[in-house]
């Protein structure tokens, strides 16, 4: 994707993207024109682009569904052992997490890149897409990554009845068990949306709720250099980094695939180690 390491570094070094997890047009780009131009570029350069799966039943990532990050902090303060924002800050370890897959386009490309980089990630998986791409889930587990639960159809859990929350979680956990032989402990709510009733339901199902403290915004139609700058400007010891392995603007995650090598190389040079979320938190990955 880049001719050599020098050109790769130069491309990323020249970026200036202002991080704002809830208003991604803060970099001054005309989002309407920018998004259309970006989609045109992707469709022109990626023959796989048009094969991508349709959006989740309840819709892809979108800002209007996301609660403010202060709510994440509040839930973690109220349920410190069950709602996790990050790992210990006394070790230079970070965890890469990838939501909304598996698909048969971007998830395999991310897995290929992680294998080349010798990095293990944590994949928060959607039941519908597991059903559509069981071989990709099997590959995730077989290659030493961790599979977590991201509901069956990606709803905002605060907008559905509690019994439907349970069904969403249990159906996905059972599908992961059926396909890959493991039952996940880790759970991430779509859009990061929680309330007390949902949290208590998830705890009753023996789930560990995994938030994040670094949001790449890779789903929002950014470029690879912008995604890299977004992460590198905010990572710290113990960070849990939110990325995606399916979905995104126009269902493309070319930015994530392009950004990963530089992110990993840069953080390793700074002394960071990449681990899975269970390794970061020193908990078991599966029930």
């Amino acid at each position: 994707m880049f001719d050599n390491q020098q050109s790769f570094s130069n491309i990323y070094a020249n970026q200036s993207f202002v991080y704002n997890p809830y208003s991604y047009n803060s970099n001054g780009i005309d989002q309407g024109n920018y998004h259309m131009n970006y989609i045109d570029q992707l469709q022109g350069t990626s023959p796989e682009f048009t094969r991508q799966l349709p959006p989740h039943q309840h819709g892809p990532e979108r800002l209007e569904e996301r609660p403010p990050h202060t709510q994440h902090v509040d839930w973690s303060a109220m349920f410190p052992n069950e709602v996790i924002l990050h790992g210990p800050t006394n070790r230079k370890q970070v965890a890469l997490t990838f939501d909304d897959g598996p698909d048969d386009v971007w998830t395999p490309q991310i897995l290929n890149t992680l294998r080349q980089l010798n990095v293990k990630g944590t994949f928060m998986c959607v039941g519908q897409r597991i059903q559509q791409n069981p071989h990709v889930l099997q590959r995730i587990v077989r290659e030493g990554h961790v599979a977590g639960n991201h509901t069956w159809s990606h709803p905002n859990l605060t907008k559905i009845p509690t019994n439907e929350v349970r069904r969403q979680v249990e159906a996905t956990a059972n599908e992961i068990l059926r396909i890959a032989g493991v039952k996940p402990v880790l759970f991430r709510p779509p859009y990061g949306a929680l309330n007390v009733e949902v949290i208590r339901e998830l705890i009753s199902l023996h789930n560990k709720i995994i938030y994040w403290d670094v949001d790449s915004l890779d789903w929002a139609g950014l470029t690879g250099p912008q995604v890299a700058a977004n992460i590198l400007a905010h990572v710290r010891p113990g960070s849990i980094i939110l990325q995606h392995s399916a979905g995104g603007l126009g269902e493309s995650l070319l930015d994530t695939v392009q950004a990963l090598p530089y992110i990993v190389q840069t953080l390793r040079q700074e002394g960071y180690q990449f681990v899975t979320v269970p390794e970061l938190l020193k908990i078991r990955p599966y029930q």
Side-chain angles (χ1 to χ4, degrees), residues 18-38:
V18 180
Y19 176 86
N20 184 337
Y22 303 104
S23 179
Y24 59 84
N25 62 355
S26 58
N27 55 0
I29 294 174
D30 179 340
Q31 291 299 305
N33 290 334
Y34 172 70
H35 287 167
M36 290 307 297
N37 291 339
Y38 188 61

Side-chain angles (χ1 to χ4, degrees), residues 266-282:
T266 301
L267 290 179
R268 277 179 169 160
Q269 288 175 345
E270 294 179 8
Y272 282 92
Q273 178 188 9
F274 289 87
V275 296
T276 64
V277 168
E279 289 172 331
L280 184 70
L281 303 178
K282 296 192 180 302

Side-chain angles (χ1 to χ4, degrees), residues 72-104:
H72 297 186
V73 176
D74 290 344
W75 295 134
S76 183
M78 290 177 63
F79 300 92
N81 296 319
E82 289 85 18
V83 181
I84 308 299
L85 288 173
H86 56 77
T89 59
N90 61 347
R91 298 192 301 270
K92 294 192 81 171
Q93 294 181 332
V94 296
L96 298 177
T97 67
F98 302 90
D99 287 10
D100 292 1
D103 71 0
D104 65 345

Side-chain angles (χ1 to χ4, degrees), residues 63-236:
L63 291 176
E64 61 268 24
E65 293 289 347
R66 287 186 158 204
H69 184 63
T70 52
Q71 281 191 19
H72 297 186
V73 176
D74 290 344
W75 295 134
S76 183
M78 290 177 63
F79 300 92
N81 296 319
E82 289 85 18
V83 181
I84 308 299
L85 288 173
H86 56 77
T89 59
N90 61 347
R91 298 192 301 270
K92 294 192 81 171
Q93 294 181 332
V94 296
L96 298 177
T97 67
F98 302 90
D99 287 10
D100 292 1
D103 71 0
D104 65 345
V105 177
W106 302 108
T107 308
Q109 292 185 52
I110 289 168
L111 289 170
N112 291 344
T113 302
L114 293 176
R115 182 172 58 191
Q116 292 166 2
L117 296 168
N118 194 27
V119 169
K120 305 302 181 188
T122 302
F123 288 78
M124 302 298 188
C125 300
V126 174
Q128 286 180 333
R129 288 189 163 168
I130 294 168
Q131 194 175 54
Q132 293 162 333
N133 300 286
H135 60 290
V136 183
L137 175 67
Q138 291 169 341
R139 180 182 171 187
I140 287 170
V141 174
R142 183 175 66 248
E143 295 188 358
H145 307 286
V146 172
N149 190 328
H150 197 43
T151 72
W152 184 262
S153 59
H154 207 264
N156 183 324
L157 297 180
T158 66
K159 297 181 178 181
I160 62 176
T162 303
N163 65 331
E164 174 64 11
V165 171
R166 176 175 284 268
R167 192 196 72 80
Q168 286 273 338
V169 176
E170 288 186 328
T172 305
N174 290 336
E175 189 72 356
I176 292 172
L177 179 61
R178 184 180 73 85
I179 298 297
V182 294
K183 190 169 186 180
V185 167
L186 308 183
F187 178 85
R188 177 170 284 161
Y191 315 110
L194 288 175
N195 58 32
V196 171
E197 291 75 19
V198 170
I199 292 172
R200 288 175 176 160
E201 189 68 25
L202 293 170
I203 292 171
S204 76
L205 293 170
H206 309 292
N207 285 284
K208 188 76 72 173
I209 301 166
I210 306 300
Y211 269 140
W212 58 88
D213 63 337
V214 177
D215 188 346
S216 69
L217 293 179
D218 59 347
W219 57 271
L222 306 181
T223 65
Q226 287 173 329
V227 168
N230 227 6
I231 291 172
L232 295 174
H234 298 89
V235 74
R236 60 174 181 157

